[in-house]
Amino acid sequence: MKRLLLSLLVALALPTAVNSASSFLNNDPMTDRSSLIISEDSRDEVLNSIGVREKGKLLINCYDLKGKNLIIVAFQAPTFNSKDNQDLLVRFDKNKPYTIPGLVISAKKSFFLNTNENDEFINNMLNHSQVLIQWKDWPNKIRRVLSFDLPDLKEEMKKGKEKGCNFNF
């Protein structure tokens, strides 16, 4: 009995899910346009706005797969954030962190990169294995950081390119 309980406790203590990317293909029947959303959950968690630990998401949205693609990169934070746009601090692998402007939209929980930042950010994702993203939550202005493993996301991006997403790689 002790062995069974010990095994169960060990199993519960170990992480059960592997952080991996996923993608979702959406066909809009009203416009006949297809879009692909590629998503990666963060490796770690931060306290959300009500004190519950929650993961963030890194999203790549590829709109209009059969026409001129519009690619949007977004970071979804678990916290509420100011309605004001704020810069995000980004660090790929062990490289020097740099700042990119983030546009706050969607219930003040998502940051969208400016479209002129997307290509550079995507190229960095393809050439690195991890990215850290830092932002300040609201109303406390506490700096929060989440990390994302990129290998599975890169695989989903390759599949997305085969489905018609016009990545520049």
Side-chain angles (χ1 to χ4, degrees), residues 2-16:
K2 285 182 182 180
R3 284 184 185 170
L4 179 63
L5 287 174
L6 184 59
S7 299
L8 182 60
L9 286 173
V10 169
L12 291 173
L14 294 174
T16 55

Side-chain angles (χ1 to χ4, degrees), residues 140-157:
N140 304 318
K141 304 239 185 238
I142 296 172
R143 291 182 181 176
R144 309 282 184 166
V145 178
L146 286 174
S147 59
F148 297 87
D149 292 323
L150 300 176
D152 291 339
L153 187 68
K154 290 188 259 189
E155 287 301 314
E156 287 297 323
M157 289 173 67

